[in-house]
Each structure stands twice: as C-alpha cells, then as structure tokens.
Amino acid sequence: MANPQRTTRAAVSTPGDHRILMDTASRCYSDAVRRGNETMMARANDLAIKAYELAPNYLPGINLLARIELQRQHLDRAEHWAHLGLSLKPKSTSLLYSAGHIALARGELDQAEEFFSRACRISRVNTKSATFLAHVKLLQGDYLEAFQQYRELAKTQANDPQIRNKLFEAANNIVADFYSSELEQDLLRYLEFSDVDYSNLRPLATSLIKHKLRLSEAGCPLELDEIAQDPLLLTCLTKFYFSDPLIERLLMTLRQTLLISCSRQLAIRNEYLPLVCALAYQCFLNESVWYINHTEASLVKQLTVVSEKMVALNTLGVDDCYPILLLIFMYKPAANTSIFETLAEREWQWPTLMQPLINASIKDTFAMHQQGVTIPNLGVSSNSVSTRVQAQYDEHPYPRWTALGYNQPANYYASLKALFPYKLNDLPNIHKTLNVLVAGCGTGRHALRLSRYFEKLNVTAMDLSRTALSYGRYQAQLRNLKDIDFIQGDILVSERLGQSFDIIECSGVLHHMEKPEAGLQALARQLKAGGLMKIALYSRTARLNIAALRSQLKDQLPHGNEEIRLVREALLQGNVDGDWNNILQSDDFYSLSACRDLLFHEQEHVFNLTEIDELVKNAGLEWVGILPPHNSRALSQQHLSKTPDTMTIEDWDELEQKEPAIFAGMYQFYVRKPQNCH
C-alpha cells in the first residue's frame, strides 16, 4: 500500500500546480496591497511559500516572497528572500529592484542606490529602477543629480505623474550658475505640464532669467523692447509668483513704465501687449503685493473711474475696454474691482492673449465665490479671536494653490504603521471606511490630498472662513472629488458636527486660537477611543526672527493691503532695524495672503517640544511621534547616532537645540486617544 503523505505530495508536485499556486499568490498579493488587507497578505505569503517549496529555484516566486515581506514590514525576511534570489541570479533586475526597495525601507540610501544602479546598468529599459535611483538621489539631497536624472526620464516619460512631480521637486532645490538655452527650452516645456506645482520651478527659472537678462543690484542692461519679448519671463509670470527682490524691482519698474506710457493714449502697443497681460497675471497670482507709489495709485484710480463708466455703456465692446482694464489689472486683481461681477456676467469675446487671465481671474474666481453660497454653517463661537481670524482668511484666503502634488495611493493605517513601526503595531486591521476630520482646512489642499491619495476615507473639511472653503470646494469639484463635506465652523463648537472621528488632522491651526489648549481639548472630545490626531504647530526656535519683527511693529502690525505693501517695501529697502534676510528669502513674503499669514497674523502662539508634551497630556492624549522633517535622518545620525523612528520627544528637543532651523516647517506630529477613553 502506498504511503498517503507521499501520494499527496506527488499529486501536487507538478509544474501546473506550481503555476496555479503562483498565479493565485500573485493575485492575492495585488488585492491585499490595493485593500490594505493584512489577512489577505498573510494568505498570499502562505501560497507563495507552498509554491516555493515546489520550485525553490523559481526566481519570480522568490521575488514575490520578498515583495510580500516588504509590504508586511518584515524587513529581515524580505532581505533574506531578495539575497537568496540574487545568490541564484546576481543580474536579476527584478530582484535588484526589490532589494533596492528593502534598503529604502530601512533608510539605507547608499545601499538602495547600489541596487538600483546595478539594475540600470544591466538593463537600459528598466525604467522603474531608473526612476527610483533618481528618487534616492532626491532623498540623499543630491538635488542636481536627481534633477538631471528626472530630466532624462522626462524626455520619454513626461506623462508619468510621478516623474513630472519629482522632477519639479528636485528643481525646487537648485539654481542655475549660468544661462543655458537648452535648459530654457526644457523649462518652457515643463511649464506646459498639467497637474503640477509650477512654483517648484521658481528657483531654477528665476536664476536662469537673471543670468539671461544680466540682472544685478546695478540694474538690468536690457531695454524694455527686449525684455517684453522674452518667452521664459512671459511664461513664468503666468505660472507662479516671483519671490526674488531683484526680479520684483525690475517688474515694478516695467509696470510703472507701461502704465505711464500707455495711459496717455488709453492704448497698448501690440509689442507690449504680451508683457502687460503677463504682468496682470502676476498681479493676480501675488494678489497685488508690490508697492504702489502715489503717482501710480493716482493713475490707477483715474483709470478705474473711466473703466466703470465705459463698462456701464452697453454701446461699447471688449475692444474698447480691454486696454484700460489690463492696465488696471497690473495693479489690482479683477476680483478687487467694483466691476468684477459685471465683467463675470458679460459674454465678451476677449482677445486670445487675454483668455487665460480672464478665465483665472474672473470666470474661475466668480465660480469659486458661488461655491460658498451652499456651504453649511455650524455657527461660530463667541470668541473674539476666532472672529478676527475668520475676517483675515475671508479677506486673504491662504494658501492659494492649483496642484495637489503626487503620492502613491495608500491605506492610511498602513502608512502610519510604516512611519511609526514601534508605536502603532497595534493599529486595528480595519477595512471599513474611516471618518476623517480636517479641522481648520483652509483652502482645502490637505483635505483633497487625503481624499485622492488614501483609500476608504470620508473627509469632513471644516474652517472658519467661507471664502477659504469656497476655494477648496471649487478645487474639489474640478477634480471630481465627491467624498469631502465642506462645513463652516469653529473648532470650539465642533461638537455640533454630531459625530466622532477615527482620524483628525489639524495643521497650522491651534496656534492661531486664543487658547490652543481649549481647541485641542475640543477636538479630543470628537476623537474616537483609539483614534489618531495629526497636529502641526509653530516652533518658537524656528520663528525667533519673525517674533522679533512682530514685537518691533507692536501696535503698527499691518492688516489691510496697503499697510502690508508699505511694511514689505520698508523691509525690502532696509528701513526696518534688524536683519530680516531669512524673511526676504521666504517665498511666502512675495504673496499678499501668504505674507500676512507668515508675518502679520491676527493671533499667533509658538511652542517648544516640552510645552507641546504638556499640551498633549493635558488633553488626555498619548504621544505617538514626530513626522521627520527634511534631512532629519542625516542630522539625527550626526548629532545623536539615532534614526528618526527611534527618537523620543526629548531626543527631538535636543536635536532642535543643535539645529535650530530643523522645524522651520512647523512641528508635525501624531497623538492618540487612549483605547479606554470615552
């Protein structure tokens, strides 16, 4: 009689059975990744192990085991499988690719670079490895090399959103040392990409333009006629606001020259029309942040009176009115004029050159305002600070944005486990939809990113400002993101939402409340037991210079547009005692809403990590950990011989004392409500 065990073994040990197991394991793995389902991932592993036992030299099976264990964050086991496969075939590009990702997960960037480089040397068409080699260069801070690699990839894969956005991210960290016509042509091509943040090209494009125009403190040797035809300058003026003092001074001079010369005849010469349109677009983007002298203000006022009379005459058409309107729009965005609604309702056929400006500054802005009409209102508290902050953001909604950036779609809990492997291993394996509150969502970018890039989230986006909410809701409509509820309301009355949340995200908000501790406690009451909260707060150390400026201005802190422009000009001209270079180097200084948020906010608190620790404990919450800021891995190794995922709050405090600028982008951290808390 045959041995039953051997008979069964023989029955399954066929090539067909091995293939079936592999196919089933692969499908199970793909489904588990898509759903963030740990049970399915364990099932995929079991199937892959059985397939491996039948065919231990089958490289795709070994590679699948490495990918599964990597996904499960079992990095030692993942490394075991990858190295086993490479011992069988050292030139396997798929195994080198997996090994590179395992090294990335460990934070071993040099090792990851080696694996991805080997894969690229073996196969020139292995574009995935080339993409991640560029990504490693970005993580290492080798921005020039990363940019060059992404630049090469973009020649053939410009439609890949990851490559487009990473190319821009690398460009944001480099400047040109000299003028290059080839680079200019590339930048002009990149400025036509869709769904990207053009402002990331600002440092590189600005430096290139300055070299091309030979712009320096001494001025610009080129004449108006030459500058007016520069394609890169004209394009950049319509894609992002400039944040360079020399460029600002040049553009202000050009604007004044054009205003004075064109207002005499109430006409614009054809050769100057592109530049006038571009300057009007720049004014829309920076919200008219540049200083306006008395002569300019007087002329614009006169032109405004004329424009109001002309637009009121139904006998006049667009050709009669657009030159005057363009001159005004160089100084005042269309939405800030008394004729904005009239222009929005007119069915004029605007000149082709003006169409992008009209669409952005009139049609889109008007449609955005209309979104606010139907946004539900929870009501505000009686807190006077909340009232002032609401008025600020109604007048100057912040931030103004047009692109969401790029992230791989992911499971929220799985992403957190990867960030905090030692703190959140006990997160439940939940596959249901999570309820998320973005408290103080502003203009909505963060809420939209959550909705687009994380699976199974119901997002509630709440803010004081109806204007800011209208901006976010309009952007959500453009992207067909329907699972976001925009609600006007004060954090202090968030119980009126009538629900509790699995996740609350509150970034850059609590420090603008009269009593941040009251705001945090109000949010903690809306958090489910075991729920997580992400918070971002200003660092006292990082904002010392800004605090000094606010203290110096005291009761003269500007609020209105003209006041902000005056203080900015005084800072640019060096007429305010002190060293404000780091403020002048901030991009936020060069937009009206951003400048007010950066320097002249109605209410501001700053913290250190000891105070934050106390704030969290007083709200009955538990500390999870800090989101590592840029370059923190290298700095923590250098100063503390630790990796960010092992650092305590005390370690971060020590690191900040050694590197005061590390939290210039705010402290960003997670806390948790205890499971036994109700």
Side-chain angles (χ1 to χ4, degrees), residues 19 51 55 74 106 108 223 240 242 253 275 307 318 495 501 529 560 573 578 593 596 603 610 614 621 634 636:
R19 294 289 185 184
H74 299 161
R106 288 190 181 279
E108 296 169 351
E223 297 295 328
F240 56 78
F242 280 96
T253 302
L275 181 56
S307 72
V318 65
E495 74 278 358
F501 297 90
Q573 296 296 330
S593 61
R596 185 174 182 186
Q603 177 70 52
T610 302
E614 183 179 355
L621 300 169
S636 61

Side-chain angles (χ1 to χ4, degrees), residues 256-268:
Q256 183 181 40
T257 301
L258 290 164
L259 174 69
I260 293 172
S261 63
C262 296
S263 60
R264 293 192 188 106
Q265 303 296 326
L266 297 183
I268 303 169

Side-chain angles (χ1 to χ4, degrees), residues 32 35-44 72 413-414 417 425 427-431:
R35 300 179 187 181
N37 189 316
E38 294 176 8
T39 303
M40 289 182 68
M41 191 64 72
R43 172 66 177 156
R72 298 169 81 189
Y413 277 0
K417 287 181 180 181
N425 277 331
L427 271 180
N429 186 23
I430 293 178
H431 309 302

Side-chain angles (χ1 to χ4, degrees), residues 14 22 39 75 81 93 101 105 162 218 297 305 318 336 342 347 371 374 432 455 476 488 523 636 671:
T14 67
M22 269 298 300
T39 303
L75 300 184
W81 289 116
T93 55
H101 279 283
Q162 180 180 5
V305 171
V318 65
N336 294 353
T342 303
E347 295 297 331
Q371 288 290 327
T374 56
K432 66 170 187 173
E455 303 154 351
Q488 184 180 17
L523 291 177
S636 61
V671 295

